[in-house]
Amino acid sequence: MTRLLGRFGLVIALAVLCAALSAARPSFLTLGNLVNLIRQISINGILAVGVTFVLLTGGVDLSLGSLVALTGVAAALFAHPGEYPVIAPVVAGVAAGALCGAASGAVITVGRVAPFIVTLGMMTAARGLALVASGGRPVSNLSPEFTALGGGQVLGVPVPVIVLAAVAAAAWVVLARFRMGRHVYAVGGNENAARASGIRVGRVKMFVYTLCGALAGLAGVVLAARITTGQPNAGVGYELDAIAAVVIGGTSLSGGVGGVGGTVLGALLMGVINNGLDLLNVPSYYQQIVKGVIIVGAVWMDRSQHKS
Amino acid sequence: MTRLLGRFGLVIALAVLCAALSAARPSFLTLGNLVNLIRQISINGILAVGVTFVLLTGGVDLSLGSLVALTGVAAALFAHPGEYPVIAPVVAGVAAGALCGAASGAVITVGRVAPFIVTLGMMTAARGLALVASGGRPVSNLSPEFTALGGGQVLGVPVPVIVLAAVAAAAWVVLARFRMGRHVYAVGGNENAARASGIRVGRVKMFVYTLCGALAGLAGVVLAARITTGQPNAGVGYELDAIAAVVIGGTSLSGGVGGVGGTVLGALLMGVINNGLDLLNVPSYYQQIVKGVIIVGAVWMDRSQHKS
Amino acid sequence: MIQAKDISKSFAGVPALAGVSLEIRAGEVHALMGENGAGKSTFMKIVAGQLAADSGTVDSGGGRVAMIHQELMPFLDLTVAENITMGREPAGRFPGTVDRGAMRREARELLARLGSTIDPDRKMRGLSVAAMQMVEIAKALGWRADAILMDEPTSALAGHEADLLFEVIRDLRRRGVAVVYTSHKMDEIFRIADRVTVLRDGRSVATHAASELDERRLIALMVGRELTSQRPAGGAARTETALSVKGFGGAEFEVRKGEIVGMIGLMGAGRTELASAIYGLAPGQGEVRVNGRVATIGSPADAIRHGIAMVTEDRKGSGIVPRMSVRENLTLASLGAVSRGPWVSRAAEAEAARGQMSGLAIKARGPEQEIATLSGGNQQKVMLGRALLARPEVLILDEPTRGIDVGAKTEVHELIRRLAREGKAILMISSEMPEILAVSDRILVVREGRVTAELDPRTATQEQILAHAMPEAG
Amino acid sequence: GRTGQGPKQPVIGVSMMNLSNEFIAMLNKGMEAKARELGVTLIVNDAQRNAEKQVQQVESFVAQKVDAIILNPSEVEASSPAVDRAVAAGIPIVNVNSETRSAPSAFVGSRDEESARIAMEYIVKRLGGRGDIVMMHGFMGQAAQLKRDQGAREVLRKNPGVKMLADQTAEWDRAKAMSLMENWIQSFGPKIQAVFAQNDEMAMGALMALEQAKMKDKVIVVGVDSIADALEAVKAGRLDATVFQDAKGQAGAAVETAVKLIRKQPVDKQVYIPFQLVTRDNVAQYLK
Ligand SMILES: Nc1ncnc2c1ncn2[C@@H]1O[C@H](COP(=O)(O)OP(=O)(O)OP(=O)(O)O)[C@@H](O)[C@H]1O
Ligand SMILES: Nc1ncnc2c1ncn2[C@@H]1O[C@H](COP(=O)(O)OP(=O)(O)OP(=O)(O)O)[C@@H](O)[C@H]1O
Ligand SMILES: [Mg+2]
Ligand SMILES: [Mg+2]
């Protein structure tokens, strides 16, 4: 309850935006467009949920965009028709992401190098790996079973939307109800105190970076399925969008405060802005100005709501 | 003394890298290439010095890349031959940068919105402004007096190198010897303590964001002069490079610790890596992998040096 | 229960502990005494396994060891219940889950044992230091350890709450738990300790049964010489009013030049809140006059400009800048005085810092030592030095001797007196009744944010003060 | 923006790959001009070089029930689902400038390989079939980079006398190209006889680095796109050549084709608009 109320301003900002949009463009509030909108945020949403864990521990992960490319390529290599069952590319993508995440986590915990630097290095290196693995060209000719993960529907709901919902729900449970969730908040809130409370801080960090990598892998799989190709140059800048969604949603960059609920709201807000500006046909250059202003404005509103 | 020793590992990493490079490519250690190298880091160096102030207060500025584009365009609009004296474009660029920085600073201090969000908004908005101001096309036909700021030399030293040296020296003096410098460290070290000690925290933050914007403007001017055009799509990703240089140089992302000396070393390290990989003609894909590994490795080495 | 043998530890080549051996028995309360920087906290952290010794062994016989830290370590954005159960959350129905109801219940029970009614669902942020200390104690109790190390657990607590803690300690003793206890409040030692070990400069000087010692002998062992502990000289209050306060939800009082006004109240009575509002650090509506002129104070910077300086209660949160040196911390509030234009004069700054370091007998390797590596008491002295360097006419001290050792405490009391004699007006908040009685010229009792009584320390009794501080029955 | 008015004007949704790119912006301008002329409404979205966003935009157009879609694909493969969505929804879709794997209702544009082939053949001719060159790539893995790379290498295979000393990406960026060229000058010096840059921005960067090193007169520099700066440089005799891609021609044909499709008139399934080599001799006709 308090958590939802904490994000009250954001909900209002979102509501105002939606009301304004549907007044200006009746097509905004159609079921078709709303499903469309949620499908559009699914990739960013999955990434944002993953990086929420990392930000909660006070870390950061800049490698997400590159990981999306690398894992999309990895998945695509196993997704040619008639070669492997459809689970193979999914496992390949998620495992590749988890592995990279774990590698970052290991350097961060063992080497005590700042997460910013480690994941920046991973961002560069994973992009190179994606290019090497794909020979620099898109990996295409993917099986229809695989591409259904991006373009298909189950009971009328697009698969990416289902994936996002499942991921967000699971993440919420872990953060709110599991010991690991408590420990994530503890490490971010006060690392020394967490250590003094007997929490194995290294393990918690390994967990969050590995999880974040794995979810980036999942996002990479969904993206590859959606665009029906493993694209080594995909995902540039996705990390900033994901982190933005998390921070808009009220998770502090210094760790310890926030949660997945806010993150989903944040991703939604960004999706509505993008979708709305396109619907309103705002010229591209002005879109960017308006987008920047709305994001800051919404968060400002949210923060002032907080104080009262 | 302690500060220099603190960065000892980084100096060693740099020395090892340079030794290896000059062994592999004798052309590395020529005066020509060294001047070349420092000229290449000048833009990133100027940006990194500016963002050092911001990071020292525990903030962040993601708008640098877009500001470089916007201010480059602003400068170029005043740099057509025979229209205004050459000081006009410089003032236009720096002032535009300072203004944007001040705007970010104001929202951060007054609105208490997280710097990440505010400067992310500014990143998007400034890019849009740059596109609007230039009509989406490069502003070219610039006077030779102006382009000399990027391509010219004074006593054999390229102008951008002189600008970087001046900026770094001035920044060092401010941080190490001025009251404002001490206040910057205090705000980043413990904002509550700084406030309780009578430091006007808001003013300090306004100062750092404005300064950082102004230096981004200077970098934009130098870049526009160097590439002889105001490019509205220039500078994408520059903010990450600049922040990376600062963090490699030992300034903590959580504020309060670090300085300009380390930043210059960090920018140098990144420059050597880029230059060296080109000289060694490492294939593109592998360049990125190697670059990522070296950056993390150098910082790791630096950190382990610290502990002993 | 715990056998520590020949523990040595040095930081950057400077020894903090040199061959300390100690045996702690089950069911005893063992007091660890010593001046600031003697090595008590370092020793406890080593015994708790949170710091590695350079040499020596600790054998706790497989028993569990919990520790209450001198420097509070709260998770500010988590609830009280989450803080108390962190690291040993009650397991929920499914593997890996936590039972939040059980968590809350357990927290409430532990707090109740300490006589505290803090709501387990409250966020830590916003609690007073004293309340946080309560949570910290509850947390350590929750471990149900075989030995509990208590590093100045009562430094922020008022007598009443400390009494409840002693009840708990006696209970622990009955159950065979070993308790190691440090405090700079001498009276506590004789009320609770069975044996006392004194550390001086990182060496163990002596271990005695508490019954063999009295306060004077203990102090002599700690300090290494006899301390002439006489009551400080009488007040020097003049007639001119230096500070007058009106508003802030029910406060109206004055502090005259040269006068020390002591402010006392129970934990959470609102003294810190009131002082912070006067100083511009917390929101509040009221009128402040300095030397008769209305001072408009919107921030501490304004307050300092009007001649008011304050030492805050929360040393870690709003006091030290941990990564700065002692010098930089000392001059933080008075950089203007050691600068020419924008330039900080290195020489002037160093001189100012050295002056305070010797004047307050701050124990540090030098002005360049990072303040975070000083012992707690010495950090507190630096905070005092910072306020003094601002050359205030009015000095607000919130728990100024929290964590300061007996020797230094006498020095600080004498210093406060001296400042008063120099004409400064001093408003001193303290939860230590003896300190209030010994130092103040006048006592204000605060309850629920209001000044409820004004008493004369020469005639007032502890019972009288308590009567005004306690909430009215019914 | 929305162009023209009127109750029953046909609406065409346009998804452009990247409006901050000068050439794409020119393409967009050409389309808006043609739309005004033909009295149709355009809704222009900018995918900012992101194929997934491009798919989203087409999905939004489908949700809005536009009459036709013009797609300026950012990727061959990755933008294909966008075409599939439109086809599945029965909305005519015209690809402009570059291709996708999935077949649209019609295609208007050029073959990117051809531009590199033209540029490289010019270099080979200038070198007399023998010499050392370097090549600057665009952003690795993007369709234009891949195709221009492919076209250039085809020519090199046929001319074994021309050797590639080094090739490296400068990510379409002028400043990066300048640094890269500076480093190449340090490492190869006078051995470099020609530079092929996969776009004009990079060619301009290489050109300026060479000029500063006072080596331009010994090195041939060729780019692709014919941006304004490049044309000026060709005219001034600084840049040796660029390859002209007809933005206006492509744009006009694309809108015309889309309108015909809306009116159910017959159209050419594929309209190729050829590239042209621009050198000092013929630059005048491209400058206006
Ligand atoms: N991390 C550290 N780095 C350097 N020196 C340290 C560090 N921690 C403690 N010290 C030094 O070790 C000595 C002992 O400190 P310790 O905190 O154990 O004292 P203490 O007896 O607990 O004092 P107090 O009563 O003031 O709490 C002090 O001189 C202190 O400056
Ligand atoms: N134990 C507590 N339980 C709940 N709230 C508390 C408690 N302690 C403090 N507070 C909150 O803090 C406010 C005032 O605390 P403040 O720190 O000003 O008191 P204080 O008199 O300085 O006492 P101390 O610092 O000894 O705790 C109270 O109004 C109350 O809201
Ligand atoms: Mg201690
Ligand atoms: Mg208090």
Side-chain angles (χ1 to χ4, degrees), chain C residues 293-314:
Chain C
R293 278 189 308 275
V294 174
T296 322
I297 295 171
S299 70
D302 296 333
I304 290 175
R305 210 157 32 83
H306 285 106
I308 305 177
M310 175 165 169
V311 175
T312 54
E313 163 187 50
D314 185 3

Side-chain angles (χ1 to χ4, degrees), chain D residues 87-100:
Chain D
V87 171
I91 297 176
I93 179 163
V94 179
N95 280 6
V96 61
N97 185 244
S98 43
E99 297 164 339
T100 53

Side-chain angles (χ1 to χ4, degrees), chain C residues 40-41 70 151-152 375-376:
Chain C
K40 306 178 293 293
S41 299
Q70 178 180 9
D151 195 357
E152 303 194 27
S375 78

Side-chain angles (χ1 to χ4, degrees), chain A residues 238-257:
Chain A
Y238 280 22
E239 56 280 344
L240 277 191
D241 277 349
I243 298 174
V246 181
V247 179
I248 291 172
T251 295
S252 154
L253 275 174
S254 45
V257 204

Side-chain angles (χ1 to χ4, degrees), chain D residues 12-286:
Chain D
I12 303 178
V14 182
S15 171
M16 304 298 285
M17 69 171 252
N18 180 20
L19 281 176
S20 337
N21 174 302
E22 195 179 350
F23 176 80
I24 304 300
M26 273 156 57
L27 203 59
N28 182 41
K29 282 223 174 73
M31 288 200 270
E32 300 209 324
K34 193 58 157 191
R36 258 193 307 276
E37 186 189 317
L38 298 181
V40 293
T41 302
L42 296 186
I43 302 174
V44 181
N45 286 179
D46 182 0
Q48 294 171 336
R49 226 176 230 151
N50 181 338
E52 128 90 345
K53 209 164 178 176
Q54 196 143 41
V55 178
Q56 292 176 10
Q57 287 171 346
V58 169
E59 283 167 350
S60 293
F61 290 147
V62 171
Q64 289 176 66
K65 302 196 170 66
V66 297
D67 299 300
I69 294 170
I70 295 179
L71 179 71
N72 166 222
S74 61
E75 298 294 343
V76 180
E77 287 291 338
S79 302
S80 286
V83 176
D84 298 338
R85 300 283 191 283
V87 171
I91 297 176
I93 179 163
V94 179
N95 280 6
V96 61
N97 185 244
S98 43
E99 297 164 339
T100 53
R101 182 184 34 77
S102 299
S105 318
F107 170 80
V108 177
S110 316
R111 289 193 176 92
D112 244 328
E113 305 92 312
E114 192 189 322
S115 64
R117 216 179 296 134
I118 292 172
M120 203 53 114
E121 271 161 3
Y122 170 80
I123 289 175
V124 170
K125 202 175 86 198
R126 285 280 303 272
L127 292 175
R130 186 161 298 282
D132 293 329
I133 66 158
V134 291
M135 175 163 75
M136 289 186 180
H137 293 273
F139 201 94
M140 300 307 280
Q142 279 182 359
Q145 179 266 326
L146 290 168
K147 296 192 150 187
R148 290 177 189 182
D149 184 46
Q150 186 190 333
R153 282 181 203 274
E154 269 170 37
V155 178
L156 286 180
R157 262 197 302 281
K158 283 188 222 136
N159 296 277
V162 177
K163 232 183 74 204
M164 189 136 80
L165 286 175
D167 63 310
Q168 207 56 259
T169 179
E171 299 176 357
W172 307 122
D173 182 273
R174 193 183 292 204
K176 289 208 171 95
M178 213 168 154
S179 291
L180 178 58
M181 195 68 224
E182 285 164 355
N183 291 344
W184 274 338
I185 292 170
Q186 294 300 328
S187 96
F188 300 110
K191 274 205 292 194
I192 304 170
Q193 290 172 279
V195 182
F196 170 50
Q198 290 178 357
N199 78 350
D200 278 344
E201 280 295 339
M202 297 192 292
M204 292 304 293
L207 176 68
M208 285 186 291
L210 286 164
E211 283 174 347
Q212 277 186 8
K214 307 208 168 24
M215 285 175 62
K216 177 59 197 75
D217 47 341
K218 296 181 208 82
V219 183
I220 301 161
V221 182
V222 180
V224 176
D225 280 351
S226 294
I227 63 169
D229 267 13
L231 291 174
E232 287 293 341
V234 170
K235 186 180 164 208
R238 296 166 62 210
L239 186 66
D240 295 270
T242 176
V243 179
F244 177 74
Q245 192 172 185
D246 186 358
K248 232 173 118 184
Q250 291 185 11
V255 177
E256 274 170 8
T257 306
V259 171
K260 279 186 191 162
L261 285 167
I262 294 170
R263 297 193 182 134
K264 309 234 173 349
Q265 293 166 346
V267 293
D268 288 334
K269 285 293 244 186
Q270 291 184 325
V271 181
Y272 283 103
I273 294 179
F275 285 100
Q276 292 146 38
L277 184 71
V278 183
T279 61
R280 209 170 176 184
D281 303 331
N282 64 349
V283 68
Q285 66 186 88
Y286 298 97

Side-chain angles (χ1 to χ4, degrees), chain C residues 317-336:
Chain C
S318 60
I320 64 169
V321 182
R323 296 295 298 267
M324 281 186 162
S325 65
V326 171
R327 164 180 58 86
E328 288 168 318
N329 267 287
L330 276 171
T331 56
L332 198 59
S334 56
L335 274 178

